[in-house]
Amino acid sequence: MKKSELAERLLAVIENDILPLTEKGVAAGNKVFGAAILRKTDLSLVLAETNNETENPLWHGEVHTLKCFYEMAEKPDTRDLIFLSTHEPCSMCLSAITWAGFDNFYFLFSHADSRDSFSIPHDLRILKEVFRLEPGGYAPENAFWKSTSIAALVQDADPETAKRLAAQDARIRKRYERLSEAYQAGKNNNAIPLN
């Protein structure tokens, strides 16, 4: 499978499976982060979830997804799965993905996007204050997993595919921009410690 085909599937999962859940989550006062788990063999969706910090401040999109995954009666081995995060995971979520045994994760928005486009700087502040790391300063390929941005997957796309994926990416980013505005407008009305 070409990397651009994987990118197309990951974008489709974000747009069709994660975003609808995130829209409901933001309406309930949660942040815009979500995640999904797919099978490596056929890229079928195992589970999609979103941030649920209004229930528990630890239920970031990735951690809440892992919680729900481990509550499933039957679950595949994590070595056979792809972990997809809408936003580059924070240090807590990086650790959770690692402890869960995933050997990979993919993301759409970078740490810098979370800070600059979504006005949620806490992940970067924690990385800087606790670990002395700059945005994205962790090892993207290490003994546990390899992380890859969806943008990096699109580099091998032919011009027609690249154009189609760019349009899909733009649609998704526009929806997240609206969700971010809604979250920012209402964040003082929720009890999440780090808004």
Side-chain angles (χ1 to χ4, degrees):
M1 170 185 301
K2 291 175 68 173
K3 291 179 181 180
S4 59
E5 292 171 338
L6 176 57
E8 189 163 16
R9 175 63 179 142
L10 297 178
L11 288 171
V13 169
I14 291 171
E15 187 170 28
N16 302 321
D17 299 296
I18 299 172
L19 258 168
L21 297 171
T22 302
E23 288 168 341
K24 291 176 186 172
V26 168
N30 293 292
K31 291 186 181 88
V32 298
F33 308 117
I37 298 171
L38 296 84
R39 287 178 180 81
K40 287 180 181 177
T41 54
D42 61 3
L43 302 183
S44 61
L45 182 67
V46 174
L47 175 72
E49 270 301 333
T50 195
N51 185 291
N52 194 13
E53 286 181 275
T54 55
E55 180 181 317
N56 180 329
L58 301 180
W59 295 160
H60 289 197
E62 299 91 338
V63 174
H64 190 245
T65 300
L66 290 168
K67 171 196 169 292
C68 293
F69 175 74
Y70 278 97
E71 291 173 347
M72 293 171 55
E74 293 183 35
K75 54 195 151 296
D77 188 310
T78 55
R79 292 172 295 194
D80 298 327
L81 301 172
I82 291 171
F83 196 92
L84 170 62
S85 181
T86 58
H87 295 69
E88 191 170 10
C90 71
S91 55
M92 178 178 73
C93 295
L94 288 171
S95 294
I97 291 165
T98 305
W99 281 106
F102 284 87
D103 64 6
N104 69 85
F105 69 85
Y106 296 86
F107 60 90
L108 177 60
F109 297 103
S110 70
H111 281 160
D113 289 329
S114 293
R115 178 194 62 212
D116 301 340
S117 299
F118 296 97
S119 299
I120 301 175
H122 313 300
D123 299 345
L124 299 184
R125 287 182 53 222
I126 291 168
L127 280 172
K128 183 72 170 178
E129 292 295 321
V130 177
F131 301 103
R132 303 293 184 220
L133 294 174
E134 295 300 327
Y138 61 92
E141 194 166 337
N142 55 64
F144 298 104
W145 39 253
K146 179 181 179 185
S147 69
T148 309
S149 70
I150 293 175
L153 296 174
V154 178
Q155 294 175 353
D156 77 340
D158 62 77
E160 183 179 319
T161 301
K163 184 177 179 182
R164 185 175 67 252
L165 293 177
Q168 185 177 25
D169 182 273
R171 272 195 321 271
I172 291 169
R173 287 177 186 273
K174 198 65 155 162
R175 285 176 71 185
Y176 272 102
E177 183 181 318
R178 287 192 299 271
L179 287 172
S180 179
E181 290 168 1
Y183 171 75
Q184 293 296 329
K187 73 180 181 179
N188 292 329
N189 299 324
N190 66 37
I192 300 171
L194 292 178
N195 279 323

